[in-house]
Amino acid sequence: MTTTLATAPRQACGCGEEQLPGLLARVGLFGTLGLALAALVVMILAGWLLSTGVWLLRRRGERAGEAEEAERAADSPADSPGGSLAGFTWTAEDP
């Protein structure tokens, strides 16, 4: 059985609007461009949100490290440094 344009009107005939993708044929050129731009904007916003989340997590970690250092500095006075080289001083002259 052979089909012609009259018997199968939805079949592509190789010309005109049937060769366009389904989305472009349904919503038109401006609708397709609008959807592409909307997808681009959504991806940009998602990137900004992810980068902001990473920045906040890193900032929180840095602040926790600073708090630990401040706590450690408060526990050990600066006048009495610890360690095995506490009395060592460097001189440029030979003894």
Side-chain angles (χ1 to χ4, degrees), residues 3-93:
T3 58
T4 63
L5 190 58
T7 59
R10 292 225 175 264
Q11 295 284 328
C13 66
C15 59
E17 201 170 320
E18 284 93 10
Q19 288 185 348
L20 297 173
L23 180 65
L24 183 60
R26 273 184 256 132
V27 296
L29 178 65
F30 292 121
T32 303
L33 288 175
L35 284 172
L37 287 174
L40 182 65
V41 167
V42 166
M43 286 188 284
I44 289 171
L45 288 175
W48 274 98
L49 286 174
L50 285 172
S51 63
T52 302
V54 168
W55 176 75
L56 285 172
L57 286 174
R58 290 185 67 187
R59 184 173 166 216
R60 186 173 125 192
E62 289 172 0
R63 286 203 174 170
E66 290 173 1
E68 283 181 12
E69 287 177 18
E71 186 178 313
R72 231 180 283 133
D75 288 343
S76 62
D79 294 337
S80 62
S84 63
L85 299 176
F88 179 78
T89 57
W90 178 263
T91 61
E93 301 170 359

